[in-house]
């Protein structure tokens, strides 16, 4: 399945989900969260015991233009996972050569990563390799971190409070534009329709408190990559 989006919003121009296999869905079963046993989705109050509703989704998308050619975007979200985290990770492409030769005890040099933490503990961090002081050329992975709470103090407000205030003030700056919303639905509707026609879901296919369905690992491993655990 191929779907190309054309919108006045530059971010979405040429956005593509190449195949249905580039998307994984899931539904949680019984498990443990923070040491406490929790029931599966089908055992939740007012939920059909044979429900085929997804509680997890992961997709691989590309933007079909020259600027982003060959750059995959991996998106995943789910309920009842091991930890509640919202963040964006930008993984830099590895250099074809390395400045330092690694020692026999060094792990493989990892790519640089910028992490933008949206919630909780809002902030930004840069993960990169640096030479260990001394006569050797060993490389160690380190982090540079900025936390809003550390600099400005812990805030009791959340994003919804800000949006509600902006709505009352008539300020639409932080709200999604209609073009972007329509482009998003145009991108995902064919996928949702394909899923609706496929009743062979195998739900539930991941335990509450886990990282999600096993199939989600294959989604990214096919590109020689792996999810960064949270």
């Amino acid at each position: 399945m191929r779907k190309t989006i054309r919108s006045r919003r530059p971010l979405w121009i040429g956005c593509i989900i190449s195949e249905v296999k580039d998307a994984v869905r899931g539904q949680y079963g019984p498990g443990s969260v923070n040491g406490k046993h929790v029931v599966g989705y089908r055992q939740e109050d007012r939920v059909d015991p044979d429900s085929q509703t997804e509680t997890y989704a992961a997709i691989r998308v590309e933007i079909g233009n020259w600027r982003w050619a060959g750059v995959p975007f991996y998106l995943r979200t789910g309920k009842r996972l091991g930890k509640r985290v919202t963040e964006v990770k930008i993984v830099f492409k590895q250099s074809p050569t390395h400045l330092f030769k690694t020692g026999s005890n060094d792990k493989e040099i990892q790519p640089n990563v910028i992490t933008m933490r949206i919630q909780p503990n809002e902030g930004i961090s840069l993960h990169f390799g640096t030479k260990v002081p001394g006569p050797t050329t060993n490389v160690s992975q380190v982090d540079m971190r900025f936390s809003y709470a550390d600099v400005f103090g812990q805030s009791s407000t959340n994003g919804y409070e800000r949006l509600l205030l902006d709505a009352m003030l008539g300020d639409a700056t932080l709200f999604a534009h209609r073009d972007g919303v329509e482009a998003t639905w145009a991108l995902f509707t064919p996928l949702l329709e394909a899923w609706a026609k496929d009743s062979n879901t195998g739900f539930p296919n991941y335990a509450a408190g886990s990282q999600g369905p096993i199939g989600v690992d294959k989604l990214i491993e096919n590109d020689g990559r792996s999810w960064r655990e949270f």
Side-chain angles (χ1 to χ4, degrees):
M1 179 184 69
R2 181 176 291 273
K3 184 70 176 179
T4 301
I5 305 305
R6 302 197 178 280
S7 167
R8 287 175 291 175
R9 291 290 179 180
L11 177 63
W12 290 105
I13 292 178
C15 198
I16 298 169
I17 301 176
S18 297
E19 304 286 344
V20 174
K21 65 181 178 61
D22 287 335
V24 175
R25 56 178 167 165
Q27 184 191 94
Y28 68 85
S32 177
V33 178
N34 296 326
K36 181 181 179 181
H37 176 76
V38 296
V39 299
Y41 178 72
R42 293 179 176 180
Q43 290 77 50
E44 299 282 7
D45 186 32
R46 292 181 294 179
V47 173
D48 184 345
D50 297 317
S51 174
Q52 298 294 312
T53 299
E54 300 87 3
T55 62
Y56 183 100
I59 63 171
R60 178 190 187 278
V61 299
E62 296 180 0
I63 299 179
N65 61 28
W66 65 268
R67 185 182 299 278
W68 295 103
V71 179
F73 292 78
Y74 302 96
L75 313 175
R76 58 176 175 168
T77 185
K79 296 180 179 296
R80 287 292 195 191
L81 301 179
K83 189 176 182 181
R84 184 178 180 181
V85 173
T86 303
E87 63 184 18
V88 177
K89 287 185 179 290
I90 302 173
V91 181
F92 287 83
K93 185 177 181 179
Q94 285 280 42
S95 170
T97 59
H98 296 298
L99 180 62
F100 301 109
K101 294 181 179 179
T102 58
S104 58
N105 295 326
D106 289 328
K107 297 181 180 179
E108 181 181 356
I109 295 180
Q110 302 175 20
N112 296 339
V113 180
I114 292 179
T115 300
M116 291 175 279
R117 176 68 67 89
I118 300 172
Q119 67 174 355
N121 305 322
E122 296 88 343
I124 302 174
S125 66
L126 172 62
H127 180 83
F128 62 98
T130 184
K131 179 184 176 300
V132 179
T136 65
T137 56
N138 294 336
V139 175
S140 178
Q141 300 298 315
V142 298
D143 291 289
M144 294 177 60
R145 300 179 182 274
F146 160 72
S147 168
Y148 279 89
D150 291 343
V151 177
F152 304 111
Q154 193 69 41
S155 174
S156 60
T157 62
N158 56 50
Y160 290 106
E161 294 179 13
R162 172 65 187 276
L163 289 177
L164 289 173
L165 176 60
D166 286 349
M168 290 185 287
L169 295 176
D171 185 352
T173 303
L174 299 180
F175 288 81
H177 193 277
R178 175 178 175 178
D179 286 352
V181 174
E182 291 178 348
T184 302
W185 276 110
L187 174 65
F188 290 111
T189 295
L191 175 63
L192 295 174
E193 292 175 344
W195 278 350
K197 295 177 182 179
D198 181 14
S199 60
N200 186 26
T201 58
F203 288 166
N205 59 357
Y206 73 96
S210 68
Q211 294 281 321
I214 295 177
V216 76
D217 293 327
K218 296 180 181 179
L219 174 68
I220 195 170
E221 288 172 354
N222 290 335
D223 291 341
R225 299 180 172 90
S226 62
W227 297 107
R228 301 185 68 86
E229 301 300 331
F230 51 78

